[in-house]
Amino acid sequence: MKSLFSTSFSAAQANIALLILRVSVCGFMLTHGLPKFMNLVGDKPIKFGDPIGISTTASFILIVFAEVVCSIFFLMGFATRIAAFILFFSMAVAAFIVHANDPFATKEKALLYLVIYLVVMLLGAGKYSVDHLISGGSGKKRR
């Protein structure tokens, strides 16, 4: 019973948790990004907003880049903090600009992604990542 309320964890548990988080969040985000990617490479006209004032096409290309390319980098743990920042920014735009006047329930999904990307920006990708391989397996040990 005592272990159910324990707040301690091992580095191995943290690294596995980060891997599970990265893989699952990437899978979820790709369900949003891949249809947009197919629209981008298809011959349908782009119907998308311009939430930050850079043009509809540029906004659409950037969100496809975030939701597809950055999600794949996030999954692999490659340039994870950069990919997470781009995804964090895109979710901030979605929550606070695109859905600014919508009820909380509409913003909730973007906010949940935003928090996940923030946590990964702070913690990094963990041991099971390309970042870990590139860094030579160095890094501070977690307690």
Side-chain angles (χ1 to χ4, degrees), residues 2 5 36 47-48 51 63 81 84 106 108 120 125 128 135:
K2 190 175 183 179
F5 297 99
K36 290 180 182 111
K47 294 180 182 177
F48 198 72
I63 198 64
R81 287 188 166 108
T106 305
E108 186 175 11
V120 175
Y128 306 111
S135 70

Side-chain angles (χ1 to χ4, degrees), residues 14-104:
N15 287 313
I16 290 169
L18 283 166
L19 176 64
I20 292 167
L21 184 68
R22 288 192 350 259
V23 170
S24 58
V25 168
C26 172
F28 298 147
M29 184 54 71
L30 284 175
T31 66
H32 300 282
L34 290 176
K36 290 180 182 111
F37 176 75
M38 297 310 292
N39 285 343
L40 183 64
V41 298
D43 48 352
K44 291 182 181 177
I46 295 173
K47 294 180 182 177
F48 198 72
D50 185 17
I52 57 175
I54 59 171
S55 88
T56 298
T57 303
S59 294
F60 192 67
I61 290 169
L62 287 176
I63 198 64
V64 169
F65 175 78
E67 291 182 358
V68 176
V69 176
C70 291
S71 285
I72 292 169
F73 282 10
F74 190 82
L75 166 73
M76 297 182 334
F78 175 70
T80 309
R81 287 188 166 108
I82 296 167
F85 174 77
I86 293 167
L87 287 157
F88 172 88
F89 182 80
S90 67
M91 293 300 103
V93 169
F96 300 119
I97 297 175
V98 174
H99 297 293
N101 297 320
D102 293 339
F104 179 77

